[in-house]
Amino acid sequence: MTASVPAGAVHTRRDGDVLVVTIDHPPVNALSADVRAGLARAIDQAGGDPQVRAVLLTGAGNNFIAGADIREFGKPPRPPALPDVCNQIEACAKPVVAALHGAALGGGLEVALAAHYRVALPNAKLGLPEVTLGLLPGAGGTQRTPRLIGAAAALDLMLSGKPMTAQAAVAAGLADEQASGADPLAAGLDYTRRLLAQGAKPRRSRDGQALADKAASLAAIHAAGQRIAASTRGLFSPAKILDAVRAAVEQPFDEGLRAERALFLQCLDSPQRAGLIHAFFAERETAKIPELKQAKPRRLDSVGVIGGGTMGAGIAVAVLDAGLPVVMVEQDEAALARGRQRVEHVYDLLVGKGRMSADERAARLARFTGATDYAALGEADLIIEAVFEDMDVKRAVFAQLDRVAKPGAVLATNTSYLDVDRIAQATRGPADVLGLHFFSPANIMKLLEVVVGRQTAADTVATGFELARRLRKIPVRAGVCDGFIGNRILAVHRQAADMMMEDGASPYEIDAAVRDFGYPMGPYQMVDLAGGDIGWATRKRRAATRDPALRYVQIPDRLCERGWFGQKTGRGFYLYPDGARQGTPDPEVLAIIDAERQRAGVTPRPFSAEDIQRRYLAAMINEAANVLHQGIALRPSDIDMVFLSGYGFPRYRGGPMHYADRVGLANVLADIRAFAKEDPAFWKPSPLLVELAESGRDFASLNQAA
Ligand code: 3HC
Ligand code: NAI
């Protein structure tokens, strides 16, 4: 064995007649300019060293290569370009083997496909997730993958963005062999030596024959096109992926590569790429909070849940799914039985759909116990309250928890709006209390607002974030205010929608405009789904404290007074005949709206989809700026994450703050000032928005500062 030659992020050393090339660029071996240059040098070295008979590519640490360095996108390109490095690897006159472990994703898999042979360890994940970043595989992936595994399987990989296991990759023909063990170097050397012993020569993916049946390949492209038309509504890159694979089928390899390059650059330039990559990083930023620098999480081995309604049951399932035991406490045996049934129902559906085995269902439910006596919570490390949204009820619960919880237990409320500090004051240990605001359905929705009260201790907060980590949720730190980050902002843009409705837009036009923006559903469809009675109760609660200067649109109340709460009552803003899930417009609702307009003395005027979107978004952005200004959210990208993971904001638009930056804060402010001429009480520009817009800065500048 010769001495190792360090070469920046890529090290080479000879092991007998094999040149071992190790990509060593923490944390995930992304293909930065240094790595690309190092790979190119290593291949040159292999070509020029007569003692080298084969090359082995491996990754240091937990991964082979996680892909292109996403941080470089949008900046001036630095040579060598990854497609060129891949072509150089493929052209190498000596066999090149890639030993894959952990992530072999995106450009990482493309490097592996440019190699001549691939061995995959059991923990390897082989995938082309570029579509999730608004891109397509741009280093030969769209050309080599279908030549190896056929158009249909390649399109599945590229359009879903989901990785394959080592076993599936070998079965599909993406990898050649699955190794046992956990050491990529040992597995790679073993495989390379066997190949050399068999006299293996370079075998290039560009020569793969899996597209030989042209008609079948074109049919696969056509079928995928029909599939994505519905499932990837509004997205730019899926159609480009189809075009690239079509080029692979119809053109020689080198021309296909050129087509891929042109399509990749179109994606790279698209605002969707910027939005999706912003979302990728925003998702990883939320857990960076000051408390985690000061304190460690407390012990977290068991969880109590109070209330077995919609939320309590969903939270219990989320916790059981994470492998923790749950004790649920309800008011009485009948309510407890209903709570247990709700939990069982979730698992029954999964078993019914074949997504969970009966044994797994039994194992999860074995961790679940129920009680009607609060004493059953005495051993729980963390207790989450999900009882009725009523301050007195919640304070009574916390006073009781104060008596039964063990010292050091973390006490959490799932309240949607109520003052966490007042709830905490019902205990003798407000430092142990925080808000953990889950979203419905709690076992599915990714967002968890972690609400930090005035007296919440740092290790209590850290425990909330630890729970989120175990539950695989996206935790966002929020301060105390009415509605925290998400619901507070939602209330304001919902109000803007109601005002437009009274001024002339129908709820169906508003929903359509919001869907056109990219939301899966509009605000009135959402009300009908969640139940109009929930908002009605909140409005009644706030009636006494409502600012009389603010316009109050009564249309939703008129529907609630008739018992039209949405899907569950068969009608709301829409009609749901015979239990239909998809609503149809209701002429009676339009008549009620007309009557309300007359009562309010409003002459209706038309709103275009663009008018609706501008007002809806301006209201959202302005209130979000207030939330930031008041320190309720730590950074703009946290607000983006709240809306992306909890409220259906289209991910490719990056979230409201990122979107505002793209539109230009001066333009958003100009809109708000124009709207303020009609209604200055509602459209009050946020001081932070004014400050940023007038100094030519954007929200992103505050992300960097956070
Ligand atoms: N480029 C730059 N940074 C990256 C990165 C990438 N491709 N992938 C991850 N990182 C960073 C993260 O931002 C994070 O940084 P931080 O510690 O400063 O917050 C750090 O690496 C660790 O990442 P995770 O927290 O996500 O670590 P996990 O262990 O949970 O997950 C992973 C590892 C599965 C590799 C996950 O990070 C991942 O999915 N990465 C992205 C993979 C991807 O999308 N690759 C395709 C890129 S596009 C491409 O290759 C184009 C090509 O076709 C030309
Ligand atoms: P729900 O009405 O479905 O369930 C509440 C449950 O609490 C009932 O089963 C009731 O029997 C039980 N309960 C009431 N008092 C109790 C007590 N003293 N001890 C034990 N159990 C008691 O209500 P839901 O929708 O589950 O909401 C619960 C909380 O979660 C509320 O604070 C709500 O604001 C919040 N929330 C609700 C969301 C939703 O979409 N439904 C979303 C996020 C938060």
Side-chain angles (χ1 to χ4, degrees):
M1 192 176 298
T2 57
S4 72
V5 182
V10 176
H11 309 277
T12 58
R13 71 177 172 80
R14 220 157 34 72
D15 192 309
D17 47 10
V18 179
L19 184 72
V20 177
V21 180
T22 306
I23 298 101
D24 186 5
H25 184 47
V28 293
N29 298 335
L31 290 155
S32 65
D34 283 353
V35 174
R36 299 193 300 271
L39 278 171
R41 266 198 306 273
I43 298 298
D44 280 345
Q45 183 187 341
D49 185 342
Q51 291 185 313
V52 169
R53 289 178 58 218
V55 182
L56 172 64
L57 305 179
T58 58
N62 296 328
N63 301 292
F64 176 63
I65 300 172
D69 186 339
I70 307 173
R71 287 180 209 275
E72 287 185 357
F73 292 143
K75 297 185 185 147
R78 288 170 59 199
L82 187 58
D84 297 338
V85 175
C86 287
N87 291 342
Q88 189 192 345
I89 293 172
E90 187 168 62
C92 183
K94 299 172 184 176
V96 182
V97 178
L100 311 179
H101 75 299
L105 298 177
L109 182 57
E110 291 175 295
V111 166
L113 297 181
H116 305 139
Y117 299 92
R118 287 158 290 280
V119 55
L121 268 65
N123 75 350
K125 289 196 294 180
L126 291 77
L128 294 169
E130 286 87 346
V131 71
T132 64
L133 302 173
L135 290 168
L136 52 80
T142 64
Q143 306 302 301
R144 292 190 177 96
T145 316
R147 282 179 164 80
L148 283 181
I149 64 174
L155 283 165
D156 271 353
L157 200 63
M158 290 186 254
L159 292 171
S160 75
K162 294 207 176 94
M164 281 185 179
T165 61
Q167 201 181 5
V170 172
L174 201 60
D176 301 295
E177 183 169 291
Q178 189 184 329
S180 55
D183 181 354
L185 180 61
L189 277 173
D190 172 57
Y191 183 52
T192 309
R193 293 241 150 79
R194 278 189 282 123
L195 285 171
L196 284 176
Q198 291 158 15
K201 300 273 173 277
R203 185 202 53 179
R204 300 188 169 93
S205 303
R206 60 181 288 150
D207 301 326
Q209 291 302 309
L211 292 179
D213 184 342
K214 190 169 170 184
S217 302
L218 290 175
I221 295 172
H222 180 72
Q226 290 191 317
R227 251 190 352 262
I228 62 164
S231 62
T232 62
R233 198 172 61 91
L235 284 176
F236 182 77
S237 76
K240 304 292 162 191
I241 290 174
L242 291 186
D243 290 349
V245 175
R246 195 170 293 112
V249 174
E250 290 178 337
Q251 295 176 28
F253 183 77
D254 292 318
E255 279 175 42
L257 278 187
R258 275 194 287 280
E260 176 194 86
R261 188 74 195 149
L263 292 162
F264 180 78
L265 292 177
Q266 287 177 24
C267 293
L268 198 61
D269 276 349
S270 88
Q272 296 197 355
R273 188 276 304 160
L276 288 164
I277 288 186
H278 170 76
F280 177 89
F281 288 119
E283 192 167 331
R284 284 157 178 79
E285 280 303 291
T286 66
K288 296 175 186 162
I289 56 157
E291 287 84 357
L292 286 178
K293 292 190 188 128
Q294 300 156 13
K296 295 249 167 305
R298 296 184 190 174
R299 179 192 160 120
L300 184 49
D301 292 333
S302 59
V303 173
V305 174
I306 311 177
T310 310
M311 293 308 289
I315 294 167
V317 171
V319 175
L320 293 171
D321 289 350
L324 289 163
V326 173
V327 52
M328 174 186 279
V329 169
E330 255 290 356
Q331 319 197 61
D332 52 45
E333 289 297 341
L336 180 60
R338 286 195 297 276
R340 180 190 291 276
Q341 271 164 18
R342 286 191 184 97
V343 172
E344 287 174 352
H345 183 64
V346 173
Y347 291 131
D348 290 344
L349 284 179
L350 289 173
V351 172
K353 287 182 192 158
R355 291 212 228 130
M356 182 180 280
S357 69
D359 285 352
E360 187 52 40
R361 172 188 182 278
R364 298 205 189 178
L365 288 172
R367 291 195 290 274
F368 178 84
T369 47
T372 52
D373 185 347
Y374 275 58
L377 296 166
E379 290 307 310
D381 294 325
L382 182 147
I383 302 169
I384 306 167
E385 164 278 310
V387 304
F388 302 131
E389 184 77 343
D390 180 299
M391 181 56 87
D392 293 338
V393 176
K394 295 215 190 267
R395 280 177 61 92
V397 167
F398 274 77
Q400 231 169 322
L401 281 183
D402 202 31
R403 289 191 285 277
V404 300
K406 67 181 180 188
V410 168
L411 310 181
T413 171
N414 180 48
T415 179
S416 307
Y417 293 95
L418 299 176
D419 181 343
V420 173
D421 288 326
R422 275 197 65 207
I423 296 174
Q425 277 147 22
T427 72
R428 284 164 301 172
D432 297 334
V433 178
L434 82 171
L436 288 178
H437 184 211
F438 289 79
F439 288 72
S440 183
N443 55 317
I444 304 224
M445 295 293 287
K446 286 277 172 218
L447 177 61
L448 179 64
E449 283 183 322
V450 180
V451 186
V452 180
R454 249 197 335 267
Q455 290 172 272
T456 310
D459 60 349
T460 303
V461 180
T463 312
F465 273 74
E466 174 61 14
L467 179 76
R469 197 185 64 77
R470 302 248 197 119
L471 268 48
R472 295 168 183 264
K473 302 251 179 244
I474 299 171
V476 177
R477 187 191 186 285
V480 175
C481 67
D482 199 343
F484 317 119
I485 299 176
N487 282 346
R488 169 170 163 178
I489 299 170
L490 175 73
V492 176
H493 57 275
R494 277 290 323 279
Q495 165 76 5
D498 284 353
M499 287 171 12
M500 287 189 272
M501 180 162 62
E502 194 167 69
D503 286 341
S506 80
Y508 316 120
E509 286 169 327
I510 295 173
D511 280 348
V514 170
R515 282 196 308 271
D516 276 356
F517 182 77
Y519 272 86
M521 62 175 84
Y524 298 105
Q525 291 173 291
M526 194 65 220
V527 171
D528 275 5
L529 182 67
D533 48 330
I534 297 182
W536 196 29
T538 309
R539 292 196 295 278
K540 286 195 264 192
R541 176 167 60 77
R542 290 177 174 165
T545 53
R546 188 175 297 131
D547 178 356
L550 273 182
R551 180 169 160 195
Y552 182 72
V553 176
Q554 298 183 27
I555 298 165
D557 294 349
R558 292 294 95 79
L559 305 192
C560 289
E561 284 154 12
R562 289 169 167 79
W564 298 356
F565 295 148
Q567 277 190 26
K568 62 184 174 189
T569 56
R571 68 193 300 180
F573 283 95
Y574 293 80
L575 283 170
Y576 303 88
D578 306 320
R581 291 172 69 95
Q582 193 68 33
T584 45
D586 182 350
E588 277 190 67
V589 167
L590 294 177
I592 293 169
I593 295 172
D594 262 342
E596 277 301 303
R597 286 174 185 153
Q598 281 177 26
R599 193 194 52 73
V602 171
T603 310
R605 60 192 159 99
F607 284 83
S608 69
E610 196 200 328
D611 291 337
I612 294 170
Q613 291 169 358
R614 277 168 89 148
R615 281 167 193 258
Y616 198 68
L617 269 299
M620 188 185 303
I621 293 161
N622 196 48
E623 188 62 6
N626 285 330
V627 159
L628 258 182
H629 194 50
Q630 292 164 15
I632 300 297
L634 278 185
R635 49 177 92 81
S637 65
D638 281 5
I639 299 182
D640 285 334
M641 224 45 236
V642 165
F643 279 84
L644 296 178
S645 58
Y647 293 84
F649 196 99
R651 190 169 169 101
Y652 62 80
R653 293 197 190 264
M657 311 313 271
H658 177 83
Y659 176 75
D661 281 351
R662 290 202 75 94
V663 172
L665 298 193
N667 295 325
V668 176
L669 181 60
D671 269 357
I672 293 172
R673 286 184 168 146
F675 305 150
K677 293 196 179 114
E678 295 160 21
D679 185 346
F682 179 78
W683 293 103
K684 281 195 199 122
S686 160
L688 178 65
L689 183 63
V690 173
E691 185 192 319
L692 291 175
E694 291 183 348
S695 60
R697 286 189 296 152
D698 57 11
F699 287 122
S701 64
L702 303 179
N703 282 330
Q704 280 130 33

